[in-house]
Amino acid sequence: MATVPPAESPVREVQLSALVVMRLIKHSTQVWPQPATGCLVGMDVGAQLQITNSFPFPASNPDNTTGNPNATNPADPYHQADQLALALAAPRAKSSVAYQNEMIKYLREVNVDAQGVGWYVSCSMGNFVNASFVENQAFYQRATGEQTVALVFDVGRSSQGSFNLKAYRLSPSFMAACKENKFTTESIQKSNLRYQDILIELPVAIHNSHLLTSYLHQLPTSPTADTDLALPASLNELHRNPHLASNPLAPNLDNLDLSIDPFLEKTVDQLLDSIEAHQTEQNNAQYYQRSLAREQAKIQTWQLKRKQENALRVQQKQTPLPEDEWQKLFKLPVEPSRLEAMLVGRQVEQYARQIDGFGAVVSGKMFGVRGNLLPGEAA
Amino acid sequence: MGDSHNYLHLARPLAPAPIATSQSSVTAPVSVTLQPQALFSIIDHASRRPADQERVIGTLLGTRSEDGTEVSVTNCYAVPHTETAEQVEMDMDYQKRMLDLHLRAAPKEVLNFYSQQGEGTFPHPAVHLTVSTVAGQDVEANTYISAPIGVTAERAADSCLFIPVPHEIKYDEASKSGLELIAGARDRDDRTQLMQTDLETLERAIEQVLEMLERVSNYVSDVLDEEQQSSTALGQFLLNTLALAPKVDAEDIERDFNNHIQDVLLVSYLANTIRTQIDLSNRLATAAITMGGDTNVASSGGDQQKQQSGERGGERGGQRREGGGGQQQRSGQAGPGGRRGEQ
């Protein structure tokens, strides 16, 4: 499987082990609201990528004074003063790659699959589409040329009751554009790249080992409809019954909670952020166009002057001056990359999809609640 | 698993042993809390062990409370070991190295593991956890703490006696949703479970509630028909629960309902509008380049105008940065609203 050409999309499905799920949740909720990044190890079996273990990346902390050898060195090409950006850039930092190699080496000794198959990141309410994410995934997909995947765990939405984990890869057309690293208007026109094409989402399944399954069967679930259960003698006894009080597999009814406003507020906040980012990009593009127009105007006048001078010199029987010196005299401005604009588009699409999904669920709940509180109305 | 009410802690009644000079003033941990991910990790390692070994040994990482009475195990990793008939040897080098790596990633976690010399957990006694994974029987976890034992002082530093301590497996809020999904896979043959969409989880939750309601109503009707014994505790509990239903006017409900539905629809519409606007502006920017420089400035200024009229439906009235060139061409058509302060 090592020589699969990168042009195909060899991974069609992702299978996680329960261990990875728990570790992801743990790490993400621990360092919230910072994004948590880490590495995934596993194996690829045909078109299915099996992920069996994971470990977090150490985030180099510029304020760290304990003599940590990981402390940021300004000479390091990935030195970033902002800690948030640092955490996001961790998967592709040199120190993290070394860390990852060492971890994998040690894990191999205890029979854990020793193949890096991707990385994970945690986000809040779907705000993961940014340049850092794309660069990380490009780094992984480019470096090994193998099947690697990015897992995104949404802390904000999972805390509302429904577990939210998605797997993404970069599309081959986007990878090709990344290779040239040019995102100017001409290259985009040629490749016809739209923001919807950047990411491919893959279906995720969870897989348990036998041992784990037997352990899960052992955990108490909601008590069966067994009429031999003794009736409780007092209210207190009901409250103190350990089966009922702390039952890990009791049906999790958090997602029946009807909380609309916080979700809407957060989403709207993030939409505003995206709009600001888009504005910035627009301003940059317009600035470029204006300076380009200015330079071109200057070039035009210069060329005109040259022509007149040459006409004069021809009259005076002198050699005409070269007309293409303007290329050396005037420097055209460089067009800014359009990647950020496309990412903003993709991010807004992500928010829109989330809101639609949320709307569907919440409308169902609302109608249910209304039907209950207004008796006599046909639901 | 560790019924903590009726437990006799063997170490506590003992006076601190005067044997070791430096370890005498230590209070032993009274209880241990396990996090599910550590347990899952151990189970996973157990299923990966080489065929000839009967067990796996590893290191636990976690945090200790202020006075040392509560220990919480949050992480662990396996260490390779070799077994002979008499003793079990561990690869200490590996252990140190892995500890180093783990501490780099999570500097707050503290070593909690038993080792032969007692070093590494000094000055606190080490915590030991065993998980029995015999096929066919229950998976049982037991925790112990080490206590010095020995005839003389030097012998005491070398050997340890393990005293069982009560433990508890705590599932915190965030893990519950993940756990539910994992547990959903246990009833299937291939032990796999696809990720579920929000609607599916909602459907399942509603089904569960309906089932519970059905059971309760069956019980109540049985009691009324005198087929079942009644219980005042249950009756009281049901009364308390039913009293939680709010008593609100019908108009208030209608009004709140309409408001909320409208909020959701509004934001959904807004998000889709913004998406369309951004898509449009991106396409215009990349497509218009063929029409030449001036037209380009005009068209991108045009979509700037369009985009800002879309924003006017937005929330905060904060200052939006105005676009440059395009605005100057359209300064006459400021449009409704007093937001165009600058010309």
Side-chain angles (χ1 to χ4, degrees):
Chain A
M1 281 284 165
T3 53
V4 173
E8 300 174 343
S9 183
V11 183
R12 274 194 287 283
E13 199 199 6
V14 173
Q15 201 184 64
L16 289 184
S17 84
L19 175 63
V20 173
V21 169
M22 298 304 281
R23 286 183 85 115
L24 255 177
I25 298 180
K26 195 64 209 313
H27 185 216
S28 308
T29 49
Q30 244 176 0
V31 297
W32 193 79
Q34 287 262 351
T37 52
C39 179
L40 304 166
V41 292
M43 204 155 43
D44 52 348
V45 178
Q48 190 192 62
L49 197 62
Q50 290 184 356
I51 305 182
T52 45
N53 212 332
S54 70
F55 51 86
F57 279 133
S60 331
N61 189 349
D63 303 333
N64 203 349
T65 51
T66 59
N68 190 347
N70 250 354
T72 10
N73 177 9
D76 188 330
Y78 292 105
H79 167 71
Q80 303 186 17
D82 178 16
Q83 192 172 5
L84 171 68
L86 206 62
L88 283 177
R92 64 179 186 274
K94 268 199 224 132
S95 51
S96 297
V97 171
Y99 179 86
Q100 175 188 339
N101 288 338
E102 242 191 292
M103 272 301 250
I104 291 189
K105 198 172 62 165
Y106 281 112
L107 285 177
R108 188 184 307 149
E109 288 189 23
V110 282
N111 283 341
V112 177
D113 298 329
Q115 182 189 353
V117 293
W119 60 291
Y120 66 83
V121 68
S122 74
C123 73
S124 172
M125 307 294 242
N127 63 345
F128 62 91
V129 182
N130 46 28
S132 201
F133 176 82
V134 162
E135 277 179 42
N136 285 337
Q137 180 62 7
F139 174 71
Y140 270 89
Q141 270 185 239
R142 192 192 311 143
T144 50
E146 292 175 4
Q147 299 88 319
T148 49
V149 83
L151 278 186
V152 178
F153 175 65
D154 198 328
V155 177
R157 299 194 71 199
S158 298
S159 64
Q160 286 175 347
S162 65
F163 185 68
N164 202 310
L165 181 70
K166 295 209 161 58
Y168 291 102
R169 272 176 69 80
L170 293 178
S171 69
S173 51
F174 187 73
M175 278 304 291
C178 246
K179 256 202 247 303
E180 307 161 25
N181 211 8
K182 262 163 56 84
F183 288 98
T184 58
T185 36
E186 306 125 27
S187 59
I188 293 189
Q189 276 177 320
K190 255 191 307 188
S191 61
N192 213 10
L193 193 65
R194 308 167 310 149
Y195 67 78
Q196 288 97 325
D197 296 334
I198 304 181
L199 295 177
I200 305 180
E201 190 179 330
L202 301 170
V204 175
I206 297 196
H207 178 87
N208 296 335
S209 64
H210 284 292
L211 203 51
L212 190 58
T213 312
S214 66
Y215 174 72
L216 286 173
H217 276 289
Q218 186 190 328
L219 286 181
T221 66
S222 53
T224 53
D226 200 0
T227 48
D228 292 345
L229 283 176
L231 293 173
S234 74
L235 201 55
N236 261 341
E237 194 178 311
L238 254 184
H239 282 301
R240 268 193 297 132
N241 188 349
H243 276 300
L244 303 174
S246 68
N247 193 347
L249 288 187
N252 185 9
L253 300 175
D254 282 346
N255 56 352
L256 290 181
D257 204 11
L258 199 64
S259 83
I260 308 180
D261 291 339
F263 185 93
L264 293 182
E265 276 177 26
K266 279 187 222 142
T267 313
V268 168
D269 269 340
Q270 285 173 334
L271 278 174
L272 283 172
D273 287 339
S274 294
I275 294 178
E276 279 189 39
H278 182 74
Q279 274 282 55
T280 318
E281 290 303 306
Q282 284 283 79
N283 286 345
N284 284 348
Q286 289 192 330
Y287 180 78
Y288 159 74
Q289 277 160 3
R290 270 178 301 165
S291 40
L292 181 69
R294 268 203 304 261
E295 285 294 315
Q296 279 180 340
K298 276 198 261 183
I299 290 174
Q300 299 279 21
T301 47
W302 184 90
Q303 277 183 331
L304 210 57
K305 253 188 9 189
R306 251 312 144 82
K307 279 204 178 54
Q308 289 171 344
E309 265 188 50
N310 279 345
L312 211 59
R313 284 159 86 97
V314 159
Q315 276 183 358
Q316 297 173 354
K317 304 283 193 292
Q318 287 174 344
T319 56
L321 296 170
E323 291 205 356
D324 52 357
E325 256 189 59
W326 61 269
Q327 281 168 351
K328 287 185 236 123
L329 292 175
F330 295 96
K331 187 164 167 309
L332 289 175
V334 176
E335 180 171 357
S337 157
R338 295 227 159 246
L339 174 64
E340 196 62 42
M342 283 203 330
L343 288 179
V344 168
R346 180 67 180 79
Q347 177 74 82
V348 171
E349 188 189 354
Q350 181 77 18
Y351 294 144
R353 272 196 223 160
Q354 263 177 218
I355 275 271
D356 287 342
F358 176 74
V361 170
V362 121
S363 327
K365 287 194 256 182
M366 297 267 304
F367 275 101
V369 169
R370 186 178 94 142
N372 183 33
L373 291 177
L374 294 179
E377 280 212 11
Chain B
M1 308 193 195
D3 185 4
S4 36
H5 307 298
N6 318 322
Y7 204 87
L8 174 65
H9 195 281
L10 293 175
R12 267 307 203 184
L14 294 175
I19 299 177
T21 53
S22 42
Q23 293 186 5
S24 55
S25 54
V26 167
T27 50
V30 173
S31 70
V32 176
T33 315
L34 267 189
Q35 298 265 335
Q37 72 147 350
L39 196 58
F40 280 30
S41 195
I42 296 179
I43 294 183
D44 187 63
H45 290 145
S47 58
R48 285 173 184 281
R49 60 175 186 270
D52 53 348
Q53 280 187 349
E54 283 218 1
R55 53 178 134 176
V56 231
I57 303 191
T59 310
L60 303 171
L61 297 169
T63 50
R64 199 184 287 273
S65 75
E66 285 299 313
D67 52 356
T69 48
E70 279 274 335
V71 169
S72 156
V73 175
T74 53
N75 203 352
C76 68
Y77 57 86
V79 181
H81 68 103
T82 51
E83 260 184 61
T84 62
E86 293 135 5
Q87 60 172 342
V88 177
E89 274 186 14
M90 295 207 13
D91 195 347
M92 289 307 296
D93 207 23
Y94 179 96
Q95 199 256 37
K96 287 205 186 72
R97 211 59 200 97
M98 280 291 266
L99 181 65
D100 204 26
L101 291 176
H102 270 273
L103 281 181
R104 269 160 64 172
K108 289 226 183 65
E109 301 196 331
V110 158
L111 180 60
N112 254 344
F113 167 64
Y114 157 71
S115 72
Q116 292 272 351
Q117 295 84 18
E119 66 175 306
T121 63
F122 182 87
H124 297 282
V127 171
H128 192 65
L129 165 74
T130 64
V131 177
S132 80
T133 56
V134 177
Q137 292 178 6
D138 280 353
V139 171
E140 262 192 39
N142 292 306
T143 47
Y144 310 90
I145 56 168
S146 74
I149 185 173
V151 177
T152 62
E154 306 91 40
R155 293 283 299 277
D158 271 349
S159 33
C160 290
L161 171 69
F162 284 105
I163 307 174
V165 232
H167 69 281
E168 196 191 332
I169 304 187
K170 267 224 176 75
Y171 302 87
D172 56 340
E173 282 302 319
S175 326
K176 276 222 181 116
S177 46
L179 197 60
E180 198 178 347
L181 195 60
I182 296 174
R186 66 183 177 163
D187 291 327
R188 295 160 172 240
D189 280 339
D190 55 352
R191 297 164 284 128
T192 32
Q193 163 101 346
L194 282 177
M195 294 286 298
Q196 306 201 310
T197 62
D198 285 346
L199 273 180
E200 282 171 16
T201 31
L202 180 68
E203 188 185 336
R204 206 179 52 210
I206 292 185
E207 276 171 16
Q208 283 167 341
V209 172
L210 281 178
E211 193 196 2
M212 290 197 282
L213 283 178
E214 172 119 4
R215 275 211 299 265
V216 171
S217 82
N218 280 345
Y219 171 73
V220 170
S221 54
D222 282 344
V223 167
L224 284 179
D225 295 338
E226 298 191 4
E227 283 174 24
Q228 273 252 20
Q229 247 184 334
S230 64
S231 152
T232 45
L234 277 182
Q236 226 175 333
F237 188 74
L238 286 176
L239 258 182
N240 289 348
T241 315
L242 287 176
L244 289 173
K247 293 217 176 349
V248 201
D249 279 339
E251 300 111 26
D252 286 345
I253 297 176
E254 277 288 335
R255 200 186 55 221
D256 288 339
F257 172 78
N258 284 336
N259 285 345
H260 282 127
I261 286 273
Q262 278 176 358
D263 284 343
V264 173
L265 289 177
L266 168 74
V267 177
S268 167
Y269 173 72
L270 190 65
N272 281 315
T273 309
I274 294 179
R275 167 172 65 160
T276 317
Q277 290 283 356
I278 293 189
D279 192 13
L280 196 61
S281 84
N282 280 345
R283 280 192 211 219
L284 276 176
T286 55
I289 199 82
T290 53
M291 291 195 281
D294 293 331
T295 343
N296 198 3
V297 176
S299 58
S300 55
D303 78 65
Q304 183 79 359
Q305 174 88 351
K306 271 188 284 215
Q307 184 201 344
Q308 289 191 328
S309 38
E311 282 172 38
R312 212 171 297 123
E315 326 305 305
R316 295 188 270 183
Q319 270 307 93
R320 303 262 76 147
R321 271 171 289 166
E322 311 289 281
Q327 282 306 314
Q328 286 154 15
Q329 293 184 16
R330 314 211 171 217
S331 55
Q333 315 169 14
R339 281 187 349 124
R340 303 300 162 106
E342 36 199 65
Q343 272 299 5

